[in-house]
Amino acid sequence: MGKRNVLLLGAGGVSHVAAHKLAQNNDLFGDIYLASRSLEDCEQILESIERKKNYKNTSQKIQIRQIDALNIPEMVKLMKDLKISITVNLVSVFCNMSILEACIKTGSAYIDTAIHEEPNKVCEDPPWYANYEWKRKNRCQDRCITAILGAGFDPGVVNAYAAYAKKHFFDVIDTIDIMDVNAGNHSRYFSTNFDPEINFREFVKVWTWIDRQWVCKPVHFEKKVYDFPVVGKQIIYLTGHDEIHSLSKNIDANSIRFWMGFSDHYINCFNVLRNIGLLSEKPVRTAEGVEVIPLKVVKACLPDPKTLAPDYRGKTCIGDLIVGTKDGRRKELLIYSICDHRLCYEEVESQA
């Protein structure tokens, strides 16, 4: 087989990094395309790649296209015209199913980083993957379509950590605690590290896997302090997350939980926004008769996560704390990664 053509969808912060990485490894692929609703955003990413001199093969530059990822016929035509073999979906999670459908129709492999959501449905009942993605598994299998779901860090790398631990270090796994902390400082009063709309939709209720069953808990209710490698003691809160839903199906463990670090300042700002209704996805009408969605207004007012990168300092720590037994003895293991905001910016002009 020849080298495979790649379609990278989206021009946000995650796509920015993926485009740099594709450029750094472009000798492994055929033609690489970056597509989004905004050609201007695509052009900014390509300018960043040029600034950092990140093309491995300088004769093979990434090309850009304009596309509406919700328009399945338009997606199918683009993928056929460009002879796409691999589609990397880094647009809004609201587009996941339309992009996957286009891949099924054209034969392209599919990769995404987060579970599909419907705009009018927030924090659906678990298991989340069963609501949309897994319903298409048989069609993918029948058409020999590879669909890799949740291929980010969490979900993604942390799933690989769990599988690696199961294979090499444990006979029986009791608990998997996925822990994600950002000990960096972006010097803004308040901001989310990725799309605020998607970020805040996670914090409506907490679905977690305890004693082999789904348990629903209040948001930011259960917390603890954990002493992490490199970044030290951090406050982490129990919350719901994508990988719990796939790991609970694929890893035999009694409990699987997700913990995320938040500062007191973040929690205070979040609580004010939530308590006065500004995190609602339901439309409201202003005194002037304008209909707005509060959550989208908050998103418009907060810094674009891409703009945080130049001033970000500090490190992140993300990993799996796994408890179980090996050869009849209790075993506890932390598999983790450290990432430095400044070094990330130096390499790909992105935050960690």
Side-chain angles (χ1 to χ4, degrees), residues 85 100 207-208 211 235 258 322 344 350:
S85 298
L100 179 55
W207 281 110
T208 189
D211 294 331
I235 301 173
F258 182 85
I322 304 166
C344 285
S350 171

Side-chain angles (χ1 to χ4, degrees), residues 21-80:
K21 288 300 176 180
L22 284 168
Q24 290 173 347
N25 298 277
N26 63 354
D27 59 319
L28 302 177
F29 303 101
D31 295 328
I32 302 172
Y33 299 90
L34 173 62
S36 171
R37 289 177 300 180
S38 170
L39 289 178
E40 181 182 357
D41 289 345
C42 293
E43 289 166 352
Q44 289 176 2
I45 291 175
L46 296 193
E47 289 168 4
S48 174
I49 294 172
E50 293 283 0
R51 275 195 303 273
K52 302 309 294 185
K53 297 180 172 57
N54 270 338
Y55 281 112
K56 185 173 185 179
N57 177 359
T58 56
S59 66
Q60 184 184 350
K61 301 296 180 72
I62 295 175
Q63 304 172 59
I64 64 175
R65 295 290 189 274
Q66 192 168 37
I67 191 70
D68 176 2
L70 287 171
N71 188 322
I72 296 174
E74 188 179 324
M75 286 290 305
V76 168
K77 184 179 187 305
L78 180 71
M79 292 162 71
K80 286 183 175 178

Side-chain angles (χ1 to χ4, degrees), residues 6-254:
V6 179
L7 176 62
L8 176 59
L9 292 169
V14 180
S15 184
H16 175 103
V17 177
H20 273 268
K21 288 300 176 180
L22 284 168
Q24 290 173 347
N25 298 277
N26 63 354
D27 59 319
L28 302 177
F29 303 101
D31 295 328
I32 302 172
Y33 299 90
L34 173 62
S36 171
R37 289 177 300 180
S38 170
L39 289 178
E40 181 182 357
D41 289 345
C42 293
E43 289 166 352
Q44 289 176 2
I45 291 175
L46 296 193
E47 289 168 4
S48 174
I49 294 172
E50 293 283 0
R51 275 195 303 273
K52 302 309 294 185
K53 297 180 172 57
N54 270 338
Y55 281 112
K56 185 173 185 179
N57 177 359
T58 56
S59 66
Q60 184 184 350
K61 301 296 180 72
I62 295 175
Q63 304 172 59
I64 64 175
R65 295 290 189 274
Q66 192 168 37
I67 191 70
D68 176 2
L70 287 171
N71 188 322
I72 296 174
E74 188 179 324
M75 286 290 305
V76 168
K77 184 179 187 305
L78 180 71
M79 292 162 71
K80 286 183 175 178
D81 289 348
L82 302 182
K83 298 180 173 58
I84 297 300
S85 298
I86 303 170
T87 299
V88 184
N89 168 18
L90 299 179
V91 298
S92 166
V93 293
F94 306 139
C95 302
N96 283 14
M97 290 305 95
S98 60
I99 298 170
L100 179 55
E101 187 64 32
C103 288
I104 293 173
K105 290 181 181 295
T106 61
S108 171
Y110 171 87
I111 304 172
D112 70 21
T113 63
I115 286 173
H116 177 79
E117 293 186 38
E118 289 292 317
N120 61 340
K121 298 179 181 178
V122 177
C123 201
E124 296 186 60
D125 289 345
W128 291 345
Y129 280 110
N131 294 329
Y132 301 99
E133 286 86 348
W134 290 343
K135 290 180 178 178
R136 290 156 175 81
K137 183 175 181 181
N138 289 339
R139 290 178 62 212
C140 288
Q141 192 167 25
D142 291 344
R143 293 183 60 85
C144 297
I145 305 296
T146 297
I148 303 177
L149 309 176
F153 205 102
D154 44 340
V157 176
V158 294
N159 298 62
Y161 285 169
Y164 186 77
K166 176 185 176 183
K167 183 175 182 179
H168 296 285
F169 296 109
F170 290 89
D171 297 324
V172 177
I173 291 178
D174 178 57
T175 303
I176 301 173
D177 282 313
I178 297 161
M179 303 186 293
D180 179 331
V181 296
N182 175 17
N185 183 356
H186 49 58
S187 300
R188 306 292 182 92
Y189 180 78
F190 181 73
S191 179
T192 58
N193 289 299
F194 60 95
D195 186 340
E197 184 176 3
I198 301 304
N199 190 190
F200 289 135
R201 286 168 63 99
E202 291 181 357
F203 306 136
V204 175
K205 51 188 170 182
V206 173
W207 281 110
T208 189
W209 181 255
I210 297 176
D211 294 331
R212 298 182 181 272
Q213 61 183 344
W214 289 107
V215 177
C216 188
K217 296 194 174 189
V219 174
H220 298 152
F221 176 75
E222 189 171 334
K223 68 178 182 178
K224 63 181 179 179
V225 175
Y226 186 80
D227 192 1
F228 288 85
V230 181
V231 300
K233 292 182 178 180
Q234 302 286 331
I235 301 173
I236 52 177
Y237 290 81
L238 182 70
T239 188
H241 219 240
D242 304 22
E243 58 269 38
I244 302 173
H245 299 257
S246 55
L247 287 175
S248 63
K249 178 180 175 67
N250 295 304
I251 298 279
D252 185 22
N254 290 325

Side-chain angles (χ1 to χ4, degrees), residues 181 183 226-234 314-318 334 336-340:
V181 296
Y226 186 80
D227 192 1
F228 288 85
V230 181
V231 300
K233 292 182 178 180
Q234 302 286 331
K315 295 179 174 65
T316 67
C317 182
I318 306 174
L334 177 67
Y336 66 95
S337 171
I338 300 292
C339 199
D340 186 291

